C-alpha cells in the first residue's frame, strides 16, 4: 500500500506550519497510523552527529521517535552562500531527484507522510525547488497555512494557491492560525465565507494562544546580551505574562500573574524583594523570572535572596523600555524541550481540524 502524502505550505515565514505539523502528526499517531515526516528544503538547520538537518525535522524526529535518518527527513538544506554559489555555478544541479528518493525512503511501510514546506509557495525557486515544484514532484496535495486576520490571510492564500495551481498541484484547503476567537468570535465564519468565494475550503481555525507566543527563559538568555545572576535558563520554562516594574512595589504585586517575567531596573530592591515574597506565598510561584535593566547590579544581600529563592535573574545594560521591546521581538520556535507547549499545540490543532475528513481526501 502506497503511503498517503500531504504537503503543508504557508503564506510566509512564521505563520504556523510547525504548529500545524505537530498537531497533524500527533493526530495521525493517535489513530494508530504509521507516520513519516519530510522537510524537502530547510533554511534553518542544526548539525546533529555531523549531519546538517532542518530544525523542524530534528524536532519531529525527537517528539514522535521517528526512526528515519535525518538525511532522509531533511534532504536539502541551504547553508549561507548556497544560493549565490548555486547561481554562479551555473544552476545546472537538479535537487529534485534527491528529494524524491528521500521521500520514497521515508514513505516505506508508512501510512501517511506529512511534508512541510519552507515559507510561501515560491520559496526555493532560486535553487530550482520551490514549494510548489516540491509538492508537484512528490505528488502531494497541499494545505496552505496562514495566520489571523481577514483581508491579509485570504489575499495571501489566494495568491499562493495560484502558484500551486500553475504546477498542477491540488490545494485541499487552508488552515488559519492565531485566530483570536475570544475578541472576534465571528472570524471563523467570515474566513469560511471569504475563502469560499475563491473555492478554497477552510479546514480549520487554530485559536490564538498567548502561551504559545511567549518565549522560554532559555530564549531570553540566547537572544538578550546579559549576565545570569541567579536561577537557571530552563528551556521548557515558558513565560506566561510580562510585567514592567515601574511603580511602587505594592502596586506592582497586583500585576504579577502566573509565570510572570518581571522587567525592572536592577536598583529596585523593593520590587525584587516583593517578587521573592510573592513566590514564597504562592504555589506555583507567580514570578518565573526577572530581567534587571539599566546595568544596575543589585546589592549582594538582594542577590543572595534571589539565589536562595531560585528565581531566574538576568542583568542587561539596556533600559526597561528597550528591553521590553527586545523580549517582544524574540522569534519563538518550538523545541523538543517545550513539553507543555507541544501538549498545548496538539490539543489546539486536534480540536481545530477534521483530521478524519482530511485523511479521507488524501
Amino acid at each position: 500500500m502506497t503511503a498517503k502524502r500531504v504537503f503543508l505550505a504557508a503564506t510566509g515565514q512564521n505563520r504556523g506550519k510547525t504548529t500545524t505539523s505537530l498537531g497533524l502528526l500527533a493526530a495521525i499517531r493517535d489513530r494508530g497510523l504509521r507516520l513519516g515526516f519530510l522537510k524537502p528544503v530547510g533554511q534553518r538547520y542544526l548539525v546533529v552527529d555531523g549531519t546538517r538537518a532542518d530544525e523542524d525535522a530534528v524536532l519531529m524526529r525527537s517528539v514522535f521517535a521517528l526512526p528515519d535518518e535525518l538525511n532522509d527527513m531533511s534532504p536539502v538544506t541551504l547553508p549561507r552562500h548556497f544560493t549565490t554559489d548555486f547561481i554562479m555555478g551555473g544552476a545546472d544541479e537538479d535537487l529534485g531527484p534527491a528529494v524524491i528518493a528521500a521521500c520514497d525512503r521515508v514513505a516505506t511501510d508508512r501510512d501517511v507522510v506529512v511534508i512541510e514546506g519552507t515559507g510561501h509557495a515560491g520559496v526555493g525557486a532560486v535553487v530550482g525547488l520551490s514549494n510548489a515544484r516540491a509538492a508537484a514532484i512528490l505528488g502531494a496535495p497541499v494545505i496552505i497555512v496562514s495566520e489571523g486576520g481577514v483581508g491579509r490571510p485570504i489575499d495571501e492564500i489566494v495568491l499562493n494557491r495560484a502558484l500551486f495551481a500553475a504546477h498542477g498541484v491540488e490545494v485541499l484547503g487552508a488552515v488559519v492560525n492565531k485566530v483570536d476567537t475570544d475578541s472576534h468570535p465571528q472570524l471563523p465564519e467570515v474566513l469560511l465565507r471569504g475563502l469560499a468565494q475563491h473555492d478554497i475550503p477552510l479546514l480549520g481555525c487554530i485559536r490564538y494562544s498567548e502561551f504559545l507566543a511567549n518565549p522560554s527563559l532559555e530564549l531570553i538568555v540566547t537572544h538578550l546580551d546579559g549576565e545570569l545572576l541567579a536561577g537557571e535558563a530552563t528551556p521548557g520554562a515558558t513565560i506566561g505574562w510580562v510585567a514592567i516594574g515601574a511603580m511602587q512595589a505594592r502596586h506592582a504585586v497586583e500585576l504579577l500573574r502566573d509565570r510572570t517575567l518581571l522587567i525592572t531596573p536592577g536598583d529596585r530592591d523593593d520590587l525584587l524583594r516583593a517578587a521573592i515574597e510573592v513566590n514564597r506565598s504562592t504555589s506555583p510561584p507567580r514570578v518565573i523570572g526577572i530581567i534587571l535593566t539599566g546595568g544596575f547590579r543589585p546589592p549582594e544581600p538582594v542577590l543572595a535572596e534571589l539565589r536562595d529563592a531560585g528565581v531566574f535573574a538576568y542583568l542587561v545594560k539596556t533600559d526597561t523600555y528597550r528591553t521590553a521591546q527586545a523580549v517582544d521581538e524574540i522569534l519563538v520556535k518550538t523545541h523538543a524541550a517545550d513539553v507543555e507547549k507541544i501538549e498545548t499545540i496538539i490539543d489546539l490543532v486536534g480540536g481545530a481540524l477534521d483530521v478524519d475528513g482530511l485523511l479521507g481526501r488524501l
Side-chain angles (χ1 to χ4, degrees):
M1 179 180 175
T2 304
K4 296 180 178 181
R5 301 177 180 187
V6 61
F7 193 105
L8 291 181
T11 58
Q13 286 187 316
N14 308 314
R15 295 293 198 269
K17 286 193 315 299
T18 303
T19 294
T20 307
S21 292
L22 279 166
L24 184 56
L25 284 168
I28 293 168
R29 175 200 61 191
D30 293 346
R31 283 159 175 76
L33 299 174
R34 299 166 298 175
L35 57 90
F37 178 84
L38 182 79
K39 183 88 174 214
V41 179
Q43 291 180 308
R44 297 170 60 94
Y45 62 86
L46 304 170
V47 178
V48 180
D49 296 330
T51 297
R52 195 172 64 214
D54 181 86
E55 61 183 4
D56 286 340
V58 175
L59 172 66
M60 303 305 171
R61 188 171 186 257
S62 175
V63 171
F64 298 103
L66 299 175
D68 305 288
E69 298 292 333
L70 283 173
N71 280 330
D72 288 337
M73 296 179 67
S74 178
V76 176
T77 53
L78 306 181
R80 193 173 182 180
H81 306 308
F82 181 93
T83 53
T84 300
D85 294 342
F86 184 90
I87 293 170
M88 297 306 293
D92 56 354
E93 180 184 2
D94 186 0
L95 301 175
V99 169
I100 294 172
C103 188
D104 288 343
R105 287 190 291 270
V106 169
T108 301
D109 297 325
R110 305 299 166 83
D111 297 310
V112 185
V113 176
V114 175
I115 305 163
E116 184 183 312
T118 302
H120 58 70
V123 170
V126 67
V127 295
L129 194 60
S130 67
N131 286 305
R133 181 179 177 234
I137 64 176
L138 295 177
V142 170
I143 296 171
I144 300 176
V145 181
S146 187
E147 66 177 7
V150 178
R152 190 180 76 169
I154 293 174
D155 290 347
E156 291 180 344
I157 291 166
V158 170
L159 176 63
N160 279 267
R161 195 267 304 267
L163 187 54
F164 284 114
H167 283 76
V169 177
E170 176 190 6
V171 172
L172 297 173
V175 172
V176 182
N177 185 37
K178 299 180 183 178
V179 178
D180 188 356
T181 52
D182 291 334
S183 300
H184 306 285
Q186 78 283 2
L187 262 183
E189 180 65 21
V190 173
L191 289 165
L192 177 70
R193 294 190 182 193
L195 288 169
Q197 293 176 0
H198 301 276
D199 296 320
I200 301 173
L202 177 64
L203 302 177
C205 289
I206 302 171
R207 290 188 296 106
Y208 173 77
S209 167
E210 185 174 3
F211 175 65
L212 296 181
N214 287 339
S216 66
L217 295 180
E218 180 188 43
L219 289 180
I220 295 295
V221 171
T222 57
H223 285 71
L224 274 62
D225 185 22
E227 178 186 358
L228 184 62
L229 301 181
E232 298 180 358
T234 310
T238 301
I239 296 160
W241 170 260
V242 177
I244 308 298
M247 68 287 289
Q248 291 183 9
R250 60 190 177 90
H251 296 307
V253 166
E254 298 174 3
L255 299 177
L256 303 180
R257 308 179 186 178
D258 184 35
R259 304 187 192 207
T260 295
L261 176 71
L262 177 63
I263 303 177
T264 188
D267 58 358
R268 290 296 304 270
D269 301 0
D270 57 335
L271 285 175
L272 301 182
R273 286 198 163 100
I276 293 170
E277 188 57 37
V278 165
N279 275 11
R280 285 176 180 156
S281 60
T282 58
S283 181
R286 284 193 205 170
V287 180
I288 196 172
I290 304 172
I291 300 182
L292 310 167
T293 64
F296 301 120
R297 191 183 188 92
E300 192 56 40
V302 177
L303 278 177
E305 289 184 48
L306 288 168
R307 291 169 184 147
D308 289 343
V311 177
F312 169 91
Y314 194 65
L315 177 65
V316 298
K317 293 182 179 179
T318 50
D319 62 37
T320 302
Y321 175 74
R322 287 179 176 81
T323 302
Q325 277 189 317
V327 170
D328 186 60
E329 291 168 0
I330 291 175
L331 173 61
V332 177
K333 297 289 288 183
T334 305
H335 298 91
D338 299 328
V339 175
E340 192 173 357
K341 273 195 173 184
I342 291 171
E343 291 174 351
T344 301
I345 287 169
I346 290 171
D347 288 342
L348 284 175
V349 176
L353 301 183
D354 176 9
V355 177
D356 292 320
L358 175 62
L359 292 175
R361 295 178 59 189
L362 299 181

